[in-house]
Amino acid sequence: MLGNSVYFPYAVGVIASYAFQYEDIKNGYELGGIVFKEDSTEDVIKHLENPYLVAFSNYFWNYKYNLELAKEIKSRFPDCIIIFGGHQVSKDTEWLEKYDFIDILCFGEGEITFLNLLRAFAESKPLNTVANIAYRENSQAVMNEYVCLGADGYPSPYLSGVFEKLLNVPDGLEFNAQLETNRGCPYHCSFCDWCDYDLPMRMFPIERVKADLKWISEHKIAYCMCVDSNFGLFERDEEIAEYAVELKKQSGFPDKFGACFAKNKTDRIFRINKALNDVGMSKGVSLAFQSMSDEVLRNVSRANMNKDKLFDQLALYHEAGIPTYTELILGLPGETLESFCTGICELLELGQHDSINVFRCEVYPNSDLADKEYMKKFAIKTAVNKLNTNHCKISEASFSGELHYISETSTMSPEDLVNANLFSACIQSVHCHGPLQCFAIYLHNDMGVAYYDFYSSFISYFSKKDGMIGDTLRKIRSCIKSNGGENADISYINPEFRFITWPYEEAMLLDFIYNAESFYEEVRPFLETFGMSEDVLNEIMKYQKNLMVTRGENRDVAEFEYDLYSYFRNALENKPSPLTKKKCTAEFFADNVPDDWEDFARQIVWYGRRNKKSIRGVRPL
């Protein structure tokens, strides 16, 4: 939960809806309520009246809270059956051995297993008749046979009414919705624990999908996140997107539609995003690569979109004015400092100037990456992050979970990971968000300076100098470096923005925008080392400064001796052309930019990172 925004508890909603569709369950049990946010233990327990059973869905962001709450429930109600399931529960008996207040563990997809458990209790059947669970028998942990169980029909939690059972809903709370149109994934990436890969893809009836979207629209839910593994993989996904667009036109809801898009159905994905973007529903198009190294991709059983196809796709999206973002994972087995940094710059070479999101590689309990032999093979070591959520006030941050992320591999030392993290933060903040994008593109296209050379030189140059830029780089490097041990905190606090926690790249950008005059004053001597003619440097500097969004009013007109508008437009559309000395006048504009720094940081840098909000629009006059 961030601020007053929270997602519906979809996972438990689906499991409850599936069980309570059957008459024997409805007649034998009552759903007392659903805890969907991290209220105090006392606030939760006051709603419980001698509960028969309490079940917990666990992921890295909530499992510590769940453990604390479950322990207290068991203490108050010793006969209550405590069940734990979800992604964070690995397929073994470890949690039973560590936590004596847990009675049963459920593994894999939970709908059928939970239903079978309820029926076993109602019919007094022994627990050894229920697959996919672990439990205690005579004080010993017992694990039953694991069988791939995946239902074909999933009642909608929105339409079934189970969300009417949400407890402690405060006034003014804004819900976000998840939309599931199918279950499963055709791929098997080693870092992922998305689903049980022995199960086939299962398609939900399109009538049910549309009914869910209509419910979301009628209940005025602003943000709908499609949680399919590869939206756009199937032909009917285009029809689903078109229906969401139709609802937006009719009622204004959902206002935004996000998805994890398939990587190979490129024409269909473009049409879907064109339709969403035309009505302002797009959250940007994800073009996930994870790594640019073929060796790394083999290590993690991952296949990527052809790089030539990516070049064409980026040109197509740029021409249509649709923002894109590419995802990379830092720390994958086989990745080196050089392969990662040159790989991120290869994306710039291919034309990805909009947004590059880099995630530290996390190790999930049920992924191949967590396998002991796999970890030994690649000498993987991990650190524990206490899960200080980004974009919240540190005084209100909730440390209710933790995650393990890779801190060292056979090909990346801890120092290498620090350097790679800093490099990626620079690319994301200084290039994709705009402060030096124009200079990097010009030096690359007209003077043959590789993006890698430009940005590695930027880091090297300023890391040794006093001043605002150097101070920011050193602060962020120090923050990254401190995260190699237990209870690491991978967020960053910038006091100018009221102690909000920020990811490194956004913190760096905010420092540079907040001190824009100092930034460009300090960066000029660095740019002069590349041998640009003074008149070109002055012209691009004026264009670059005008391109950046400032607080409040954002409309300016500037005259140039060079046709910089056409030059950068063509470059961003992957159609580079020479810079010509031809006078041009351009208008730079951005609408609805807050004047308050905290609002600016939230609207432009946080909410707007995938839609290039930090860069003004520009048109020739």
Side-chain angles (χ1 to χ4, degrees):
M1 179 173 175
L2 290 174
N4 67 335
S5 178
V6 65
Y7 279 98
F8 283 106
Y10 183 83
V12 295
V14 170
I15 289 173
S17 298
Y18 186 82
F20 280 89
Q21 71 178 312
Y22 296 101
E23 288 300 320
D24 59 326
I25 303 301
K26 284 191 286 189
N27 293 333
Y29 295 91
E30 179 185 354
L31 179 61
I34 297 176
V35 177
F36 69 103
K37 57 189 181 69
E38 294 168 2
D39 291 328
S40 70
T41 300
E42 288 302 320
D43 281 345
V44 173
I45 287 180
K46 72 182 182 184
H47 290 278
L48 305 182
E49 297 180 12
N50 195 26
Y52 173 71
L53 180 155
V54 178
F56 293 82
S57 177
N58 298 273
Y59 216 161
F60 59 78
W61 54 69
N62 72 344
Y63 82 92
K64 284 198 166 182
Y65 171 82
N66 286 350
L67 288 170
E68 180 183 335
L69 178 58
K71 183 177 181 179
E72 188 61 29
I73 291 173
K74 196 69 168 179
S75 173
R76 305 279 187 98
F77 308 101
D79 295 330
C80 178
I81 300 169
I82 302 293
I83 300 177
F84 267 50
H87 285 262
Q88 200 67 20
V89 178
S90 55
K91 295 182 178 72
D92 53 41
T93 60
E94 180 184 1
W95 282 35
L96 288 179
E97 294 155 8
K98 289 176 65 175
Y99 307 112
D100 60 3
F101 50 85
I102 299 176
D103 297 302
I104 299 173
L105 301 176
C106 288
F107 309 121
E109 293 187 14
E111 288 89 350
I112 295 176
T113 301
F114 187 68
L115 172 66
N116 290 342
L117 265 175
L118 294 182
R119 284 176 168 164
F121 293 138
E123 299 167 15
S124 299
K125 289 182 178 179
L127 290 179
N128 62 14
T129 63
V130 181
N132 298 356
I133 66 168
Y135 57 98
R136 289 190 192 83
E137 189 173 90
N138 299 324
S139 300
Q140 296 295 314
V142 177
M143 185 166 174
N144 289 351
E145 178 187 11
Y146 183 77
V147 181
C148 292
L149 294 176
D152 291 322
Y154 297 92
S156 164
Y158 302 113
L159 307 178
S160 70
V162 299
F163 289 149
E164 295 173 9
K165 293 284 189 176
L166 298 181
L167 301 177
N168 282 16
V169 183
D171 293 336
L173 193 67
E174 294 180 2
F175 280 101
N176 300 322
Q178 302 97 316
L179 178 73
E180 190 178 23
T181 81
N182 62 59
R183 180 77 65 87
C185 181
Y187 309 111
H188 191 166
C189 303
S190 301
F191 50 80
C192 184
D193 68 343
W194 193 289
C195 59
D196 203 323
Y197 293 102
D198 290 325
L199 290 170
M201 293 288 297
R202 284 143 290 157
M203 312 297 291
F204 294 5
I206 196 163
E207 295 78 14
R208 180 226 140 138
V209 174
K210 288 185 176 181
D212 276 358
L213 277 169
K214 188 173 183 182
W215 187 96
I216 290 167
S217 177
E218 289 174 346
H219 286 76
K220 302 186 184 307
I221 307 299
Y223 181 50
C224 175
M225 177 64 189
C226 179
V227 294
D228 295 354
S229 59
N230 295 273
F231 188 66
L233 186 63
F234 302 105
E235 187 175 337
R236 72 175 200 161
D237 292 346
E238 198 165 354
E239 180 182 349
I240 292 168
E242 288 170 354
Y243 186 68
V245 168
E246 181 183 328
L247 291 171
K248 165 75 179 279
K249 289 178 178 178
Q250 291 173 0
S251 68
F253 297 95
D255 181 53
K256 299 291 182 183
F257 185 93
C260 298
F261 289 102
K263 56 183 178 289
N264 287 321
K265 300 294 181 181
T266 51
D267 292 341
R268 184 181 301 142
I269 301 300
F270 176 77
R271 292 194 299 270
I272 288 172
N273 279 284
K274 179 73 165 61
L276 294 171
N277 194 69
D278 285 349
V279 295
M281 294 183 76
S282 175
K283 291 287 288 182
V285 185
S286 59
L287 301 169
F289 262 65
Q290 318 312 351
S291 174
M292 301 301 286
S293 163
D294 292 336
E295 178 185 352
V296 173
L297 296 174
R298 286 192 296 270
N299 290 342
V300 297
S301 304
R302 168 84 180 186
N304 271 344
M305 181 194 302
N306 179 281
K307 293 176 184 178
D308 292 337
K309 188 174 286 189
L310 176 63
F311 181 91
D312 295 336
Q313 285 291 298
L314 287 169
L316 185 65
Y317 282 109
H318 281 306
E319 192 170 358
I322 302 173
T324 64
Y325 61 97
T326 299
E327 295 174 347
L328 295 174
I329 298 176
L330 172 57
L332 289 172
E335 195 82 79
T336 66
L337 173 61
E338 182 181 4
S339 70
F340 178 80
C341 293
T342 56
I344 199 171
C345 290
E346 187 178 356
L347 287 171
L348 304 183
E349 301 270 356
L350 291 168
Q352 177 51 289
H353 302 286
D354 285 352
S355 182
I356 298 172
N357 291 356
V358 178
F359 302 95
R360 288 292 294 268
C361 186
E362 298 163 1
V363 180
Y364 303 131
N366 290 301
S367 67
D368 289 349
L369 208 63
D371 179 78
K372 291 180 180 178
E373 290 302 314
Y374 189 99
M375 295 183 76
K376 183 178 179 181
K377 178 181 178 181
F378 294 103
I380 293 173
K381 294 182 180 179
T382 62
V384 179
N385 172 247
K386 63 184 180 180
L387 201 66
N388 178 2
T389 308
N390 284 317
H391 304 126
C392 66
K393 293 181 180 179
I394 190 64
S395 60
E396 300 171 1
S398 176
F399 308 113
S400 54
E402 66 181 21
L403 57 85
H404 294 251
Y405 67 93
I406 289 180
S407 59
E408 184 177 352
T409 69
S410 57
T411 54
M412 255 201 182
S413 68
E415 187 64 24
D416 287 342
L417 275 164
V418 170
N419 290 330
N421 215 329
L422 183 64
F423 188 86
S424 74
C426 279
I427 293 289
Q428 292 173 79
S429 63
V430 179
H431 188 91
C432 296
H433 289 305
L436 288 181
Q437 188 184 91
C438 292
F439 284 104
I441 288 174
Y442 171 78
L443 288 169
H444 173 268
N445 289 359
D446 278 39
M447 299 187 68
V449 178
Y451 289 116
Y452 174 80
D453 293 339
F454 180 76
Y455 286 110
S456 58
S457 297
F458 174 85
I459 294 171
S460 177
Y461 182 93
F462 286 104
S463 292
K464 301 170 186 173
K465 284 192 171 292
D466 293 331
M468 185 274 299
I469 298 176
D471 287 345
T472 294
L473 294 180
R474 285 185 288 273
K475 279 191 298 185
I476 292 196
R477 179 186 287 278
S478 177
C479 188
I480 297 169
K481 200 167 184 176
S482 70
N483 295 334
E486 291 290 314
N487 296 321
D489 175 5
I490 60 173
S491 62
Y492 173 94
I493 300 169
N494 189 324
E496 284 86 353
F497 305 101
R498 304 185 189 179
F499 293 95
I500 301 295
T501 58
W502 296 94
Y504 305 133
E505 65 277 3
E506 293 179 11
M508 188 182 293
L509 177 68
L510 285 168
D511 267 8
F512 294 160
I513 292 178
Y514 186 77
N515 301 285
E517 188 174 339
S518 296
F519 176 81
Y520 285 111
E521 182 179 326
E522 290 182 19
V523 88
R524 186 180 179 100
F526 166 71
L527 296 170
E528 289 172 347
T529 66
F530 291 94
M532 281 182 284
S533 65
E534 188 172 357
D535 64 329
V536 169
L537 193 156
N538 290 337
E539 289 284 286
I540 296 178
M541 181 67 79
K542 182 165 64 169
Y543 192 90
Q544 178 72 80
K545 287 181 177 180
N546 273 287
L547 208 56
M548 297 306 298
V549 167
T550 58
R551 290 183 301 153
E553 181 62 34
N554 267 268
R555 290 192 178 271
D556 289 292
V557 174
E559 296 180 350
F560 301 93
E561 297 297 318
Y562 290 82
D563 188 4
L564 293 171
Y565 168 78
S566 297
Y567 178 82
F568 288 114
R569 181 200 62 193
N570 292 339
L572 291 173
E573 291 180 3
N574 276 358
K575 303 170 185 174
S577 59
L579 180 61
T580 58
K581 191 161 188 178
K582 174 185 174 184
K583 291 194 177 195
C584 80
T585 303
E587 180 186 17
F588 300 84
F589 57 91
D591 296 322
N592 303 317
V593 180
D595 191 53
D596 174 77
W597 270 118
E598 187 178 17
D599 291 338
F600 178 93
R602 182 172 58 250
Q603 296 293 334
I604 303 303
V605 176
W606 173 13
Y607 296 170
R609 66 174 291 165
R610 289 182 179 173
N611 292 306
K612 302 188 295 185
K613 292 291 188 181
S614 60
I615 300 176
R616 285 168 157 179
V618 57
R619 54 180 166 242
L621 296 179

